[in-house]
Amino acid sequence: PLCAEGTQENELMIGTMQAVDTSHESFQLVQAAYKQIGYNIRLLPMPYARSFYESNRGIMLDGELARTKVISEQAPDMIRIPVPIDESAAAAFTNDPHFCPTTWTDFDGKRVDVLKGTSIIIGRLGTTPYNTVTTLEQAFLRLASGRSDVLIAPSSIAQNVLNSMQVTGIYRVTPNLETWLVYHYVHKRHESLVEPLTQALEQVMQKQSLTAIP
């Protein structure tokens, strides 16, 4: 019988945000772990909120590349592989060089943009009003044109997008607001892979930390 979506057997489709591709270190690590247990993975970047929706639904996607622990509470049909594969930090990007927020309460009174689907950032904002954007490019164009005051987004990914754009007058606030560990998730229909994948990912991460030592 033909497999859905034209994928081969032992090949899984993994979702992620639009600004991430197969060169990202998280993908390289997860791909190496899957290879160890005899699986190939393909990466499907899409709007971040849709990636979350499709990963939890488990029809188009088989898992989510990297999310924080908080997703476990919001996605009953996804299983977290309990090996942290990376860190994700929230950074503020602003068009005002004098605005230097250091806590989550510093955004009151500002026009705040967040990337749709970054639920941990949205949760931290509490009662502070915010606007959601679909892409980081859209957010930076809004900042550059003065339609917003600040973007709060995953720092390194947002910085890469900003570097690739021809916009000026945008400042990244340092230090980052907060940092979280991120984990790989699979849909519950792949529950049988959780144990072997966990072991493989532990080995991959251990190997990576050994090669990182000078």
Side-chain angles (χ1 to χ4, degrees):
L2 288 172
C3 297
E5 297 292 317
T7 57
Q8 303 165 359
E9 221 173 320
N10 284 13
E11 183 174 81
L12 302 183
M13 188 71 80
I14 305 299
T16 189
M17 66 169 62
Q18 283 164 304
V20 172
D21 61 26
T22 54
S23 68
H24 196 279
E25 190 179 21
S26 293
F27 178 78
Q28 303 283 331
L29 296 168
V30 171
Q31 183 184 46
Y34 273 103
K35 266 191 181 151
Q36 248 178 255
I37 62 169
Y39 278 76
N40 293 319
I41 59 170
R42 289 166 63 194
L43 195 63
L44 186 58
M46 59 175 69
Y48 206 34
R50 186 171 174 221
S51 179
F52 171 75
Y53 169 77
E54 294 293 355
S55 298
N56 195 44
R57 198 162 70 118
I59 297 171
M60 179 190 289
L61 295 177
D62 300 289
E64 184 91 358
L65 179 61
R67 290 269 185 175
T68 60
K69 252 186 188 177
V70 76
I71 288 301
S72 301
E73 302 152 21
Q74 302 164 2
D77 292 334
M78 284 204 277
I79 302 173
R80 178 168 53 88
I81 304 300
V83 183
I85 58 169
D86 202 356
E87 287 185 344
S88 179
F93 294 81
T94 177
N95 49 22
D96 178 0
H98 304 295
F99 178 51
C100 300
T102 56
T103 70
W104 291 99
T105 54
D106 291 343
F107 299 99
D108 289 345
K110 296 290 183 182
R111 294 170 299 164
V112 178
D113 277 357
V114 295
L115 186 67
K116 196 174 181 183
T118 51
S119 52
I120 196 163
I121 291 173
I122 290 167
R124 289 295 194 272
L125 282 170
T127 57
T128 302
Y130 62 87
N131 170 67
T132 56
V133 290
T134 308
T135 68
L136 291 167
E137 286 88 350
Q138 180 192 358
F140 285 126
L141 289 173
R142 282 171 53 81
L143 263 184
S145 64
R147 282 180 289 158
S148 67
D149 300 316
V150 61
L151 163 70
I152 309 171
S155 57
S156 58
I157 291 167
Q159 185 67 58
N160 289 342
V161 170
L162 180 58
N163 292 347
S164 71
M165 295 176 69
Q166 301 297 312
V167 292
T168 55
I170 294 175
Y171 309 91
R172 176 176 167 181
V173 180
T174 54
N176 293 322
L177 288 158
E178 194 172 343
T179 303
W180 305 278
L181 294 172
V182 292
Y183 301 82
H184 178 55
Y185 283 79
V186 295
H187 190 266
K188 66 180 182 183
R189 65 192 168 91
H190 299 299
E191 194 171 357
S192 62
L193 295 182
V194 171
E195 199 176 318
L197 186 58
T198 299
Q199 291 174 3
L201 201 48
E202 280 172 346
Q203 290 168 14
V204 166
M205 296 305 293
Q206 194 175 7
K207 202 181 292 179
Q208 194 228 16
S209 65
L210 287 173
T211 55
I213 296 168

